[in-house]
Each structure stands twice: as C-alpha cells, then as structure tokens.
Amino acid sequence: MTTHISRRSLLGLAGAGVGAVLLGGCADDEPTGLTSPQQIDWWHIQNTDPMLPVWAEMARLYQTRHDKITIEVKPLENEVFKAELAKVTKAGSPPDLFQSWGGGLLREQAEAGLVKDITSEVSPWIGQLLPAALQPYTVDGRIYGIPFDIGMIGFWYNRDLFAEAGITSPPTTWAQLLTTVQKLKSAGIVPIALAGKDKWPGHYYWAYLAMRIGGLGALRQAAEDGNFNTPDFVAAGEHFRQLIDLQPFQPGFRRAEYGSSDGQAAAMGNGEAAMELMGQWAPSIQASSSTSKLGIGGQLGFFTFPTVEGGKGEATDAFGGGNGFAVGRNAPPATVDFLRSLLRSENQRWAAETGAVLPTNLAAVGRIKDPNNQVVAAHLAVASGFQLYLDQAFPPAVGEQINKSVADLIVGSKKPEQIVKDITRVAQKQ
C-alpha cells in the first residue's frame, strides 16, 4: 500500500523545536543489565561524509557504555546494499539492524517473518518521534522499524547558473520548467544532472508528475487495484517525454551513478549542472562527491516540483520519505536498545547538525542549522499531503518495475502508454 500522510501530522516539522525540547529531556536512562556478550551486525547506506563518521562514533560510544556488546558496522552504497540485502533475506538471515525505507518491502519482510515486531519494546519512547515519520514503518498497526529522518524530494538548483542564463526566479509550473531548461541550454549550461545507471532518481519525475496530474487519489487507487493503465499515468509519461526530448541531462548520464565522483551529485557539487531532482540529503552528498568536498555552498537553492496546468494535485503535496532501520528476526536483545540510542535527542541533534539528516525526534527538530534543510522542513510543515517513494511504497517487484519502466521511457525504448501496461502487469500479479 502507498503511505499517505496528512497535513496535520506533518505540522511542526519546522516549528516544533522550542516546545519539544522538553520532550527530549524526559527520556529514561538506558536500561542496565545488557551484560551478556552480544554482537550486533549493523548495515547502513550512509557510506560517505558527513554521516559515515557520525554513525561510527555513535556505535563506538555505545560499546564504551556496554562492554559486553560488539557492533560490527557495514556501510554500503545504496544499490550494493539493496543487492546484498536481497541475498541474505532470501537465505533467511537478515542483518540484526539494517537500513529501511518502510513501505511495501518492509511489509513483505514482516509477513515473511524476517523482521521483528518491536512495538512493545519501543512503546516507552516512541512518543518522542514524529507520528508522520512512523507511518511507513507500521504494518497493520505494529511497528517493525524506526525512522531517523524524514524529508521530501524537490529541485536543488545553482543560483549562479540560473543568473548566468538570465533566469530570475525558479519555475512554478511545468511549462515554466521546460522554458527554464531551454534558457539554460541556450546559455551553454547543462540543465539537469541525472544518474541514469541507478534508475531510481529518474522515477522521481514520473511519480511527481503523476501526483500533480492525477492527485494523491490516483496513487491511492493504483495501490488498491494495481492499475496504472489510466489517462493520468499515461499523461505523466507524456509530460516527462516533453522534458526528455529537450535533452536536458549531462553527457554520459546513462552511465552515471548517483554518488560516484563523476555522478549526479558530483555534477551539481562541481557546478557542472544547474539542477537535480533529489531529496533532503542532496546538499551533503553534493559536497562529499565534489572535487573540493565543499559543494557550491550559498549558490545552492531549493524549489518544489512545479504544478501541471489542469492537474488535480495540490502544489503543496509532497513526495519523499525518510531513512530508518529495521531489526532482523534473529537480532540479539541489545539491538533495540542500541537503536533507541541512535534516536535519543542528543544523537538526533548531532545528526541534524551535520546537515544530512532531518530528524524525527521532536526535541531535535529545532537544531536544524543547515539553511537548505530549514527550507525543506518549512515546505514539509505546510504540506497538504504526502506520498512515499513509489519504489518503496509498493511491493518490491512493482517498485523495481516502475524504476525500470521509467528508465526505458528516458532512453526512448518504451512509450508512455507502454510503460503503464508493463507496470500494471507486474502490479496485478502481487
């Protein structure tokens, strides 16, 4: 099922900090008695600065407080992680603590008995977290994972390159976006960076267009009947083709990965492209992937995905999700306590201050210092609705087909009316 979050549950992301600080101070001391030797195998995808050393230090500090606990940390690149996780879960032996985006895959893992129901263990402290962030990790009323951040997808852009092309303000409609791309190309500037090899970044365009054209109701209906072969989804593909036909992406985009030294984030971080459609983590990955390791600094701006004339979707409907962790079925008892430590207010504040995380602990929300993340949080605070990434919201087979089909659309091997049939065929087998 897709995950829809109401405006009410998102309110407070940007403004809850002052009153919520008291909440963080109410946490009980960590339980004692974790004295039996235990090893926790922890897989995460924050394999670059700034979060790579932060996670490592949090694990080290936890081990210092619990000398019988050993934490084996395994940072993995996103696509490598997905492939590795698929292998070990197929064999029935998931890691003790591992990256999760919730949604359809977590439901499948829960139904297969691969992850622990941690509802009772987290109930004493779960009230410190944003309810909206928990929804993708809740299956039939039970909690199987904990989110450590939440955010949304939007356009990150280079203010200097926009000014160079004579663009005075970000586009607010699809027609204006197409005009913006044309102006950038005329100025000899690469309009958009895209990781074509990874596929998942491309699906953001089609998904957002489907939301803007059909509204969240179209996604909700597709989740119920598995039918994507509708005018709204076809129109999403047709609109995306309008952009693709302008050849807006950097040379070699088909071979480009997201976080590599010559990938999508690096193109933005090195000032080689004017825009990318990406999540709240983009500024930090742009910086760490750039030659200078600093990115473009104050040149970076953010704007929400444009509206489509005549569309049913709201301009304030957001598309995105968050990062979290699930607990493997054979995880030792200390695993949930370690997970709790990662979500403590002081550690969430630490993560927030890196600029790579929009925290889910209410007491840490006010510690968002990065100006870009403050902008994202402000947009989320007034969101009228929320849709989880399609490749996570739906069952894995459907998510994989969406990514593949959109990639086919981008390279021109399939037409809009063909990809919706391919996705529907897979969805109706689930």
Side-chain angles (χ1 to χ4, degrees):
M1 291 290 289
T2 51
T3 300
H4 301 278
I5 299 174
S6 70
R7 180 176 184 274
R8 178 183 299 175
S9 61
L10 281 166
L11 287 175
L13 263 173
V18 176
V21 169
L22 296 175
L23 216 76
C26 296
D28 297 329
D29 290 333
E30 288 188 327
T32 57
L34 298 178
T35 56
S36 60
Q38 299 172 40
Q39 177 174 309
I40 300 170
D41 293 321
W42 179 26
W43 291 16
H44 68 73
I45 65 166
Q46 285 71 41
N47 64 321
T48 62
D49 289 341
M51 282 305 294
L52 177 62
V54 171
W55 284 144
E57 182 63 6
M58 287 184 188
R60 188 193 70 79
L61 291 172
Y62 186 86
Q63 290 176 106
T64 299
R65 292 194 301 269
H66 304 93
D67 58 7
K68 298 292 185 181
I69 308 300
T70 301
I71 302 171
E72 293 292 333
V73 188
K74 187 174 181 179
L76 294 164
E77 187 276 329
N78 186 30
E79 294 303 308
V80 174
F81 163 79
K82 291 177 182 177
E84 292 280 326
L85 184 66
K87 289 179 185 177
V88 296
T89 52
K90 186 176 182 180
S93 55
D96 300 319
L97 188 66
F98 60 93
Q99 171 79 28
S100 175
W101 296 273
L105 178 56
L106 184 62
R107 172 176 285 275
E108 284 197 355
Q109 292 166 343
E111 291 174 347
L114 293 167
V115 289
K116 279 188 176 180
D117 177 347
I118 58 175
T119 310
S120 60
E121 292 178 82
V122 302
S123 61
W125 52 271
I126 203 68
Q128 297 177 3
L129 306 185
L130 290 161
L134 278 168
Q135 291 191 23
Y137 299 87
T138 305
V139 178
D140 297 332
R142 310 298 294 177
I143 299 171
Y144 290 89
I146 297 295
F148 65 83
D149 85 337
I150 185 171
M152 64 180 285
I153 305 297
F155 275 104
W156 297 94
Y157 74 104
N158 187 316
R159 300 176 196 274
D160 284 357
L161 294 182
F162 267 45
E164 186 178 330
I167 302 164
T168 57
S169 60
T172 59
T173 67
W174 186 250
Q176 289 175 5
L177 178 68
L178 298 180
T179 299
T180 295
V181 167
Q182 291 169 327
K183 288 182 177 180
L184 289 163
K185 285 181 68 73
S186 296
I189 298 167
V190 173
I192 299 174
L194 181 67
K197 182 178 179 180
D198 285 343
K199 295 185 174 63
W200 55 268
H203 111 274
Y204 293 162
Y205 292 85
W206 185 75
Y208 244 132
L209 282 165
M211 283 175 55
R212 293 293 188 253
I213 293 169
L216 289 175
L219 276 303
R220 189 176 299 113
Q221 187 62 44
E224 293 176 2
D225 59 23
N227 182 24
F228 291 82
N229 190 8
T230 68
D232 288 337
F233 286 109
V234 174
E238 291 172 344
H239 279 70
F240 192 16
R241 279 302 319 177
Q242 293 173 352
L243 176 63
I244 295 165
D245 288 344
L246 296 178
Q247 299 182 346
F249 309 123
Q250 80 276 23
F253 78 90
R254 294 188 186 188
R255 301 183 303 276
E257 297 174 333
Y258 171 60
S260 61
S261 60
D262 59 351
Q264 175 176 331
M268 284 295 298
N270 290 327
E272 298 166 355
M275 292 181 282
E276 70 165 335
L277 184 61
M278 193 49 60
Q280 69 278 6
W281 58 87
S284 64
I285 306 301
Q286 289 174 15
S288 64
S289 302
S290 67
T291 303
S292 67
K293 302 302 178 185
L294 298 173
I296 60 173
Q299 299 175 31
L300 189 65
F302 178 87
F303 64 92
T304 57
F305 197 89
T307 59
V308 176
E309 185 178 0
K312 305 181 191 75
E314 298 290 337
T316 49
D317 286 344
F319 173 74
N323 294 285
F325 295 115
V327 178
R329 65 179 180 185
N330 297 318
T335 305
V336 176
D337 187 66
F338 173 58
L339 176 57
R340 180 195 182 192
S341 77
L342 299 178
L343 272 293
R344 279 184 170 280
S345 58
E346 60 269 27
N347 282 338
Q348 279 264 281
R349 291 187 186 110
W350 183 4
E353 288 170 358
T354 69
V357 168
L358 283 178
T360 56
N361 188 314
L362 288 164
V365 172
R367 296 294 287 271
I368 299 173
K369 293 184 176 179
D370 181 81
N372 294 311
N373 280 344
Q374 289 175 351
V375 171
V376 175
H379 281 293
L380 278 169
V382 297
S384 51
F386 193 92
Q387 171 63 50
L388 183 63
Y389 316 114
L390 299 194
D391 59 351
Q392 299 300 325
F394 292 97
V398 181
E400 290 171 10
Q401 185 61 51
I402 289 173
N403 285 344
K404 179 182 183 302
S405 291
V406 175
D408 289 341
L409 182 69
I410 292 170
V411 301
S413 61
K414 290 287 183 72
K415 297 179 179 179
E417 60 270 22
Q418 292 174 308
I419 70 166
V420 296
K421 292 178 182 177
D422 293 341
I423 298 168
T424 298
R425 188 178 305 114
V426 174
Q428 294 190 341
K429 289 180 181 178
Q430 301 305 300

